[in-house]
Amino acid sequence: MARATVTNDRHAGSRDGPATDALRPVATPRAYIRRTLLEVSPADGEGPGILAPEAAGAVDVFRECGWDVVVLGGRDAPDSLGLDAGWRDSVEDRDPGAWLLTDDVADDRWARPLGLHTAFVGPHAEHQPAPARCDVEFRDLRTAALEILSTDVPAGRPMRG
């Protein structure tokens, strides 16, 4: 599912020189978003969750900037949410440079060894410690998406059009 783009970045790291570097594929950036940040449970607790108010906008802004978005967690793919995103129940392979947006500080324990940057999103529950181990903290999903995109956009990577 990863898409490759071509860059003219001379600092891509090839020993073959700039001509080879110009043809080197650049990995598509990826954001893993914890399903609990995207879904709101129905008031009666019955049936599937519904899309959280800011969820579609956050996913769309990542996609418009050329990022892959993967919904993380749950028992099955969140097709009912209607998001332009993939789905995985967990991440097991290294994905250096990817971001994990989560509302669970414990996610940092498994995400860091896989090379993921971690962003805690939302308020702290009283029983939850402050996310001292996460790389960054954001009050909401929209802010998280915009801030990550404004600070983690490599030169030479075109926006989707």
Side-chain angles (χ1 to χ4, degrees):
M1 182 163 160
R3 188 170 33 96
T5 58
V6 176
T7 180
N8 290 323
D9 184 3
R10 292 178 184 235
H11 305 289
S14 171
R15 290 186 279 168
D16 297 327
T20 303
D21 286 346
L23 300 175
R24 168 164 278 173
V26 175
T28 300
R30 182 170 295 119
Y32 296 98
I33 304 177
R34 205 20 110 190
R35 186 179 192 144
T36 53
L37 292 172
L38 300 170
E39 195 173 53
V40 177
S41 297
D44 62 4
E46 299 292 322
I50 57 173
L51 190 63
E54 62 192 27
V59 169
D60 288 348
V61 76
F62 275 119
R63 298 290 296 148
E64 288 170 5
C65 290
W67 287 50
D68 282 337
V69 178
V70 178
V71 176
L72 191 61
R75 288 172 279 167
D76 54 5
D79 297 330
S80 62
L81 298 178
L83 297 171
D84 183 14
W87 170 79
R88 291 187 189 171
D89 61 343
S90 65
V91 178
E92 297 171 5
D93 298 323
R94 285 190 51 77
D95 196 352
W99 278 89
L100 169 65
L101 286 72
T102 183
D103 57 352
D104 184 350
V105 294
D107 283 344
D108 184 71
R109 291 186 198 127
W110 62 262
R112 292 249 181 159
L114 297 177
L116 277 69
H117 301 289
T118 55
F120 183 86
V121 179
H124 305 284
E126 288 190 29
H127 68 280
Q128 244 181 351
R133 295 176 43 132
C134 289
D135 295 312
V136 291
E137 178 180 356
F138 299 103
R139 63 189 166 117
D140 57 53
L141 191 56
R142 180 180 180 276
T143 303
L146 294 174
E147 289 291 325
I148 289 169
L149 287 168
S150 71
T151 60
D152 196 14
V153 179
R157 181 166 291 137
M159 290 182 58
R160 280 177 44 162

